[in-house]
Amino acid sequence: MALYNFKKITVVPSAKDFIDLTLSKTQRKTPTVIHKHYQIHRIRHFYMRKVKYTQQNYHDRLTQILTDFPKLDDIHPFYADLMNVLYDKDHYKLALGQINIAKNLIDNVGKDYVRLMKYGDSLYRCKQLKRAALGRMCTIIKRQKQSLEYLEQVRQHLSRLPTIDPNTRTLLLCGYPNVGKSSFINKVTRADVEVQPYAFTTKSLFVGHMDYKYLRWQVVDTPGILDHPLEDRNTIEMQAITALAHLRAAVLYVMDVSEQCGHSLEEQVELFKNIKPLFANKPLIIVANKCDVKRIAELPEESQKIFEAFEAEGFSVIETSTLTEEGVIQVKTEACDRLLAHRVDTKMKGNKVNEVLNRLHLAMPNKRDNKERLPFIPEGAITRKKRMEVDTPKRKLERDLELELGDDYILDLQKYWDLMNSSEKYDKIPEIWEGHNILDYIDPDIMRKLEELEKEEELREAAGEYDSEPESEDEEMMEIRQLAQQIREKKKLKILQSKEKDTRGPRMPRTAKKASIEHVQRKVLEKEMTDLGLDMTNKDDAHYVRRSRSATRKRKRDESVTPTSVARSRSCSRTPRDVSGLRDEKMVKKVKTMAKKAQKKMNRLGRKGESDRHIFDLKPKHLLVGKRKSGKTQRR
Amino acid sequence: IKMHEKRNTKQKNDEKTPKGAVPAYLLDREGQTRAKVLSNMIKQKRKEKAGKWEVPVPKVRAQGETEVLKVIRTGKRKKKAWKRMVTKICFVGDGFTRKPPKYERFIRPMGLRFKKAHVTHPELKATFCLPILGVKKNPSSPLYTTLGVITKGTVIEVNVSELGLVTQGGKVIWGKYAQVTNNPENDGCINAVLLV
C-alpha cells in the first residue's frame, strides 16, 4: 500500500546535479591511471568499464525514481484523485514516461559504445569513444531537465500531504468558507489549524485525531466550497470535493446561522442541495454553528422552516458554538455513533461477516436448577458508569481547589486524617505533655508487642500460610525446581573449591589454556559425569576418547589417504598451520622447499621485505663506462 | 614556359620615395615591388582541375593502409597474412552477403557497419538522421571507396526523402551527396554536411 510511502520517495536531483553527481562518481570509483604503452585489451577494458559504470549508475538512479513514485492506478482512488487534482494526472504520467524513455536511451547508448570500443586499437580512439558515450548520456539527462524539476516538486508536496487513512472511521467537515470548520476541528482534536476572519484560510486538507469509545477517529477539515458548477472549481475546492467523494465518512455540513461568513442562509442551503449527491450513503449531520451570536429560535420564520425541512428529511440539526463549546460534544457523539452503526451495517451486509460469525460461539452455562441467578454488578460500578456517561468530574481534586483559590491556596492534608473525634483534626499537636517530650514517645510495651507479633508470625509460617501451593505445580515444575536447587548447590561448591586453590601471582585465562591443551582430559570428564550419577565404566569406545593410530584403523582406507594426524605425536583438535591442507609427508616436504626457494631471491638481493626497492648501485660501472663496443650496455 | 607565365611586374612605388632632397648615399632605388603575379588564365585552369565541387572539407589527412586495414593472421601456424580487417567505420549495402569466409580478403566487422548518418543542411542549419545509400568517394584511396570505408572527408550519398525536396520539374529528390565532417571511428557516429 503506497499510503505512507509518500514520505520515502528518493530525492529527485535536478538535471545539472544529476550529471555532476554521476560523472564525479565515475571519476572516483573507477581506476584513473592508464598509459599509452599498456596492452590494448587493458586499455579497452579500462574505458569500457567507465562507460558501463556510468550507464549503470544512471540506470539505477532512474529506476529508483520510477519505482518510488506511486503509480496512480495502484493507490487508493482517494489519493489518485487528490494527486490528479493537485498535480494533473497527465503531466505526472508524462513526466514519468519521459524518465523511462531516458533510461532506455541511456542503456542503448552504453551498449552501442561498448560494442564499438571492442575495435578500438589505440588509447586515443578508446578515449574519444568513452568521451562520446558519456557525453551522449549526459545530453539525454540534460533534455529531461523539465521532467526532473516537476517530479522534485511533486515529491516535496507529496511528502507533506496529511496522512489520511481512507478506510478508517472519519468525520468530514464541509461547508462554505469561514463558517467555523477549522475552529471545530481545533476544539475536538489536537490539530492546530489556522483560523482567520478571511475566507479560504484553509487551503488544503487537514487531519486531526480524536478518541471516542476507545477508538481512534480521524477528523478531516476541508477548504470551503463555493457554489458553482464542477467545471469552474479551482484546485483548492476540488480537494474538498475529492475528499467528499472518496472517503466513506460521516459528513458534518457546517452552516453559519448568523451569516457572518458573508453568505446568506439561502445560499448555504443552495450549496447543500448541489452537493447532496456526494452525501449518498453517508451519515449526515447539519451543524448550525455560531449559535452564540444567533440562535435558530431567533431567526425569522422562513429560515426556521429550512431547518424544520432538514429535520423532516431525517438529517439531525445540532446547534453549536465553537466559541462557547456548546453542543460540540453532542455533535461528536452523534456523528460517531451514527458512523459506527453505519459501518457495522455495511459490514454485516458484506461477505466477510459470515466468516467471522461462523467462528464465534457464545457459550452459555447449563442451568443446574431453576433458580434465577442474575449478573451481579456492584453499586459503585453502576454509579461510576452513570457518571462516565454524564461526564461529570468524580470528586473535587486538590488541583481544582488550587486553581480556584489561586494565591490563597494552602495544602491542607490534615483534613484527610482519620481520627476518632473528627473535631480534633485541626488541633495543634503539643510538643511536651505531662512532662514528657512527645517526640521521644516510645510505647513502653513496644518490645512485648514486637515479640507477640513475631510469635504470631512463626505460628503462621508453621501453619503453612506462606508456603506456595503444591497442587498448583505439576510434575515438570517440581523437577525443574529440584534441578535448580542442585545446580545452585554445585555452583556454591565450585566457588568454594576455587577459593581454596593456592594461587600466587597472575594466572592465564581459561581460554588460553584451553587453546594450548586443546582438549579436556578424559579422566576429568569421566570423573565429573560419575559425580553427577552417570555410569562411566565402559566408555573405551566413546567418541570423546582419543585413540592411537592403530586403534583407528577399523575401516579400510586407501593407502594414500592417511588420517589427518600426520607427523604428530599427539593428536589435537586443531591442525598447525604449516601442515594444514596437506595430504602426506611428501607434500609437506615439497611445500617447505618451495617456501625456502621463494625466500632465496630476497635473501640474495638483501631485501628487507617485498616492498624494499633500494638499489645499492645506481651507476654500475659495467654499464656506464666505455665505448659501445662489446655487450653489457643493455638499454642505456 | 613557367617563367613566361609569371611576369615580373615592376611597379613604381611612389610612397617610398622621400619628398625633398636626399644625399646620394641615402638614395634608395625606387621602391619596386616585385610581385609575381599569376596570370588569370592559370588561376582559372587550376580551379577547373580541382573539380566542380566546393566541398566543406577540402583537404583531409590521407589514411594509410596500415591505419585502415589490420592484418589478420590465419592458418595452422598463424603464418598466413593475406586477410585484412577494416578498423574504420564502413557502409555495406542492403543486399550485402559475405563471401565464403575462406576466400574473403577484406573483413568488415558487423560492429563497425553503420547505416545512418547525421546530416546537417548548411542553410537550414538543421540536422537530420538520414539513411546512407552508398559511399561515393573516399579521398584517401579508391580501394576504400569500393570497400565502403567512411572516414573524414568521404563523400556519401544519403536518402533525403525526409526533407521533402522537389526539383523544378516537380520530381521528388530522394538522394543527395553529403560529406563526412568528423572522425566516425572516434565518435561512434557519422556527422555529415549536405552538399547543396
Side-chain angles (χ1 to χ4, degrees):
Chain A
M1 216 8 194
L3 249 186
Y4 293 104
N5 289 353
F6 289 171
K7 306 216 189 278
K8 289 193 201 145
I9 305 178
T10 45
V11 179
V12 179
S14 74
K16 194 162 148 296
D17 285 341
F18 200 176
I19 295 173
D20 285 342
L21 216 132
T22 315
L23 287 182
S24 74
K25 195 162 179 196
T26 311
Q27 169 87 5
R28 281 179 292 125
K29 303 275 183 177
T30 52
T32 49
V33 180
I34 189 90
H35 292 296
K36 253 197 318 199
H37 59 77
Y38 284 0
Q39 294 186 308
I40 189 65
H41 68 85
R42 203 170 149 186
I43 297 177
R44 274 193 212 134
H45 185 263
F46 174 83
Y47 284 112
M48 272 204 264
R49 186 170 166 177
K50 290 203 187 260
V51 171
K52 280 215 95 67
Y53 189 82
T54 314
Q55 179 238 318
Q56 191 64 37
N57 264 327
Y58 274 131
H59 180 100
D60 286 342
R61 247 273 61 144
L62 291 173
T63 335
Q64 177 84 0
I65 292 174
L66 284 172
T67 45
D68 274 349
F69 272 91
K71 269 204 227 160
L72 289 178
D73 305 321
D74 285 346
I75 52 180
H76 193 273
F78 165 63
Y79 276 106
D81 236 357
L82 193 63
M83 284 178 70
N84 185 11
V85 165
L86 291 169
Y87 317 127
D88 190 17
K89 186 163 74 162
D90 293 332
H91 195 178
Y92 178 80
K93 280 190 172 173
L94 271 173
L96 286 179
Q98 294 278 5
I99 300 283
N100 198 17
I101 291 174
K103 182 181 75 155
N104 288 337
L105 285 175
I106 287 180
D107 285 344
N108 286 340
V109 163
K111 247 195 303 185
D112 284 338
Y113 277 86
V114 162
R115 193 162 18 105
L116 267 176
M117 219 180 284
K118 286 193 225 155
Y119 298 101
D121 46 8
S122 69
L123 182 125
Y124 178 73
R125 189 159 157 188
C126 291
K127 188 173 184 182
Q128 295 299 96
L129 283 170
K130 162 235 176 201
R131 192 162 160 262
L134 294 198
R136 257 191 150 157
M137 290 189 219
C138 293
T139 338
I140 295 174
I141 295 293
K142 243 202 302 189
R143 285 206 306 253
Q144 303 302 326
K145 187 164 147 204
Q146 305 278 12
S147 301
L148 289 170
E149 270 178 20
Y150 168 74
L151 284 174
E152 173 64 15
Q153 285 176 0
V154 167
R155 180 197 77 93
Q156 282 181 359
H157 198 272
L158 257 187
S159 65
R160 291 200 209 110
L161 279 186
T163 48
I164 303 176
D165 185 353
N167 295 327
T168 182
R169 303 156 286 275
T170 323
L171 300 180
L172 197 54
L173 295 161
C174 56
Y176 259 98
N178 243 342
V179 292
K181 303 185 286 296
S182 304
S183 340
F184 186 85
I185 191 175
N186 283 342
K187 278 279 170 299
V188 170
T189 69
R190 279 200 63 184
D192 199 7
V193 187
E194 216 185 311
V195 175
Q196 295 282 352
Y198 58 87
F200 286 104
T201 319
T202 314
K203 292 194 251 300
S204 65
L205 301 174
F206 283 95
V207 193
H209 295 274
M210 64 177 201
D211 293 318
Y212 177 74
K213 280 196 181 163
Y214 310 109
L215 294 167
R216 272 255 121 154
W217 295 75
Q218 278 180 150
V219 185
V220 176
D221 181 25
T222 65
I225 322 171
L226 294 172
D227 191 13
H228 37 222
L230 194 62
E231 298 78 39
D232 297 347
R233 294 202 184 276
N234 62 15
T235 323
I236 303 178
E237 293 174 342
M238 276 309 288
Q239 291 184 51
I241 301 289
T242 314
L244 267 177
H246 288 280
L247 294 175
R248 294 186 305 138
V251 179
L252 300 172
Y253 183 74
V254 186
M255 299 180 72
D256 183 359
V257 184
S258 67
E259 301 184 1
Q260 267 184 352
C261 61
H263 304 276
S264 70
L265 220 49
E266 288 73 30
E267 285 179 4
Q268 300 188 35
V269 175
E270 255 317 297
L271 173 67
F272 177 79
K273 289 201 187 113
N274 282 340
I275 57 177
K276 209 158 157 201
L278 288 168
F279 297 156
N281 248 357
K282 299 188 175 104
L284 172 69
I285 295 182
I286 313 250
V287 179
N289 203 10
K290 303 198 191 173
C291 68
D292 53 314
V293 179
K294 210 172 198 184
R295 304 206 77 88
I296 293 187
E298 295 169 20
L299 285 173
E301 271 296 318
E302 310 85 45
S303 318
Q304 288 206 23
K305 269 196 217 150
I306 300 172
F307 287 103
E308 279 160 30
F310 281 140
E311 297 262 0
E313 283 179 46
F315 307 126
S316 45
V317 180
I318 305 178
E319 280 195 323
T320 59
S321 166
T322 47
L323 218 62
T324 62
E325 297 198 35
E326 173 193 337
V328 167
I329 297 184
Q330 200 187 348
V331 169
K332 177 174 124 178
T333 44
E334 166 107 25
C336 294
D337 287 335
R338 284 185 53 190
L339 183 64
L340 270 178
H342 179 80
R343 279 171 75 96
V344 168
D345 272 339
T346 26
K347 280 192 186 146
M348 292 297 285
K349 285 186 213 147
N351 285 336
K352 281 196 194 164
V353 195
N354 294 332
E355 290 174 25
V356 182
L357 279 179
N358 283 342
R359 293 191 217 141
L360 288 177
H361 167 65
L362 182 61
M364 299 292 290
N366 284 333
K367 291 191 180 250
R368 57 182 169 144
D369 53 24
N370 285 333
K371 200 166 158 192
E372 268 295 314
R373 290 186 175 86
L374 294 163
F376 173 68
I377 305 170
E379 279 282 331
I382 296 180
T383 43
R384 218 183 283 161
K385 189 174 175 205
K386 277 206 200 117
R387 263 192 270 132
M388 248 177 61
E389 283 172 4
V390 175
D391 216 16
T392 53
K394 298 166 215 93
R395 60 186 172 91
K396 195 161 196 192
L397 303 168
E398 280 294 325
R399 174 75 183 148
D400 295 338
L401 197 57
E402 184 183 345
L403 287 172
E404 254 177 55
L405 295 176
D407 276 342
D408 304 334
Y409 175 69
I410 307 166
L411 179 62
D412 186 18
L413 290 172
Q414 288 167 333
K415 64 180 179 228
Y416 294 121
W417 284 356
D418 185 16
L419 298 172
M420 281 197 296
N421 202 347
S422 61
S423 63
E424 289 175 350
K425 272 188 204 172
Y426 291 101
D427 288 356
K428 279 179 98 168
I429 304 170
E431 290 183 14
I432 299 178
W433 189 62
E434 289 192 357
H436 300 283
N437 199 344
I438 294 251
L439 291 173
D440 287 341
Y441 175 70
I442 307 172
D443 189 354
D445 290 335
I446 192 85
M447 292 310 296
R448 186 179 58 80
K449 285 190 186 164
L450 183 63
E451 279 177 24
E452 273 178 31
L453 255 179
E454 286 194 344
K455 270 193 218 132
E456 205 185 314
E457 275 302 304
E458 276 174 28
L459 287 172
R460 281 216 185 142
E461 235 178 283
E465 208 174 299
Y466 296 126
D467 291 340
S468 51
E469 315 263 309
E471 304 98 54
S472 65
E473 295 179 349
D474 53 0
E475 260 191 43
E476 260 187 76
M477 279 305 287
M478 302 277 281
E479 276 181 47
I480 293 172
R481 282 198 197 279
Q482 226 186 356
L483 222 68
Q485 181 71 8
Q486 280 183 338
I487 292 171
R488 264 182 249 133
E489 278 180 22
K490 206 65 193 254
K491 252 194 187 171
K492 282 189 199 145
L493 273 176
K494 278 210 178 262
I495 292 173
L496 286 174
Q497 268 181 9
S498 72
K499 282 195 184 146
E500 282 170 26
K501 269 192 225 164
D502 186 26
T503 54
R504 286 197 194 145
R507 298 194 76 198
M508 289 289 283
R510 259 180 77 198
T511 45
K513 222 194 215 172
K514 196 107 191 183
S516 62
I517 294 185
E518 284 176 335
H519 65 273
V520 181
Q521 298 266 359
R522 178 186 169 182
K523 276 184 253 166
V524 172
L525 178 70
E526 292 199 339
K527 186 167 162 301
E528 282 195 7
M529 288 298 153
T530 40
D531 281 347
L532 285 172
L534 285 173
D535 176 28
M536 298 293 277
T537 46
N538 208 1
K539 292 284 179 180
D540 282 334
D541 268 344
H543 69 284
Y544 58 80
V545 176
R546 313 281 167 192
R547 294 170 208 154
S548 60
R549 283 181 63 189
S550 54
T552 55
R553 296 211 179 249
K554 291 232 172 112
R555 349 190 285 239
K556 287 221 163 57
R557 286 191 188 156
D558 285 351
E559 278 302 312
S560 57
V561 180
T562 53
T564 48
S565 56
V566 170
R568 274 183 276 136
S569 53
R570 194 184 305 164
S571 53
C572 306
S573 55
R574 216 185 292 161
T575 62
R577 271 209 290 205
D578 60 346
V579 296
S580 73
L582 302 171
R583 274 179 298 188
D584 49 16
E585 268 199 43
K586 213 172 68 170
M587 232 179 160
V588 172
K589 264 196 198 156
K590 189 171 179 204
V591 158
K592 290 211 167 126
T593 42
M594 277 173 77
K596 283 197 192 134
K597 272 199 188 155
Q599 285 295 312
K600 268 194 202 160
K601 187 177 178 189
M602 294 255 274
N603 293 341
R604 185 168 52 87
L605 294 173
R607 291 214 273 164
K608 279 183 250 156
E610 278 182 2
S611 61
D612 184 13
R613 299 216 186 267
H614 177 71
I615 302 172
F616 290 95
D617 191 1
L618 272 175
K619 295 195 190 158
K621 192 164 178 187
H622 68 282
L623 289 182
L624 295 168
V625 139
K627 303 180 186 164
R628 277 179 178 269
K629 269 202 295 196
S630 50
K632 285 206 186 171
T633 49
Q634 277 193 24
R635 281 163 223 109
R636 203 188 350 123
Chain B
I1 303 173
K2 265 202 181 159
M3 278 177 54
H4 172 69
E5 288 159 11
K6 300 178 193 170
R7 279 179 277 126
N8 286 1
T9 51
K10 293 184 188 169
Q11 293 168 338
K12 186 152 184 234
N13 201 328
D14 286 318
E15 296 128 9
K16 277 202 183 151
T17 324
K19 308 253 162 121
V22 161
Y25 54 91
L26 283 178
L27 256 179
D28 282 13
R29 276 185 229 146
E30 290 171 355
Q32 282 174 350
T33 50
R34 294 172 192 267
K36 301 209 174 198
V37 173
L38 291 175
S39 70
N40 247 352
M41 205 175 61
I42 302 301
K43 275 194 200 161
Q44 258 189 346
K45 270 205 182 156
R46 276 216 188 142
K47 247 197 197 164
E48 273 175 51
K49 195 176 165 202
K52 297 170 177 71
W53 307 98
E54 262 191 23
V55 279
V57 187
K59 275 199 205 153
V60 275
R61 188 177 73 86
Q63 318 251 1
E65 252 208 32
T66 42
E67 209 183 318
V68 176
L69 300 171
K70 179 178 155 194
V71 177
I72 303 276
R73 291 186 163 271
T74 51
K76 195 173 188 183
R77 291 187 203 90
K78 302 284 183 214
K79 268 172 62 181
K80 301 184 170 196
W82 54 273
K83 280 184 177 260
R84 299 282 183 276
M85 184 175 85
V86 172
T87 58
K88 306 278 180 188
I89 305 286
C90 49
F91 170 76
V92 296
D94 257 348
F96 174 75
T97 342
R98 292 165 62 190
K99 278 164 86 162
K102 183 167 173 179
Y103 299 111
E104 66 180 342
R105 199 188 309 178
F106 294 101
I107 302 173
R108 278 161 282 185
M110 275 179 76
L112 292 175
R113 292 184 203 162
F114 273 49
K115 288 195 207 153
K116 289 204 168 196
H118 304 297
V119 182
T120 314
H121 196 291
E123 263 128 56
L124 300 174
K125 304 266 190 267
T127 315
F128 306 92
C129 191
L130 304 174
I132 305 176
L133 293 171
V135 172
K136 171 77 177 157
K137 184 149 177 60
N138 190 311
S140 306
S141 159
L143 172 64
Y144 303 155
T145 316
T146 50
L147 280 178
V149 172
I150 301 180
T151 53
K152 183 168 181 180
T154 315
V155 176
I156 57 175
E157 195 179 354
V158 286
N159 181 344
V160 293
S161 47
E162 202 183 291
L163 296 169
L165 303 167
V166 180
T167 59
Q168 290 272 12
K171 296 207 183 125
V172 175
I173 302 176
W174 69 283
K176 262 187 149 336
Y177 291 129
Q179 191 182 28
V180 176
T181 51
N182 74 328
N183 280 317
E185 68 274 4
N186 286 347
D187 296 332
C189 57
I190 305 176
N191 295 343
V193 163
L194 203 60
L195 301 173
V196 279

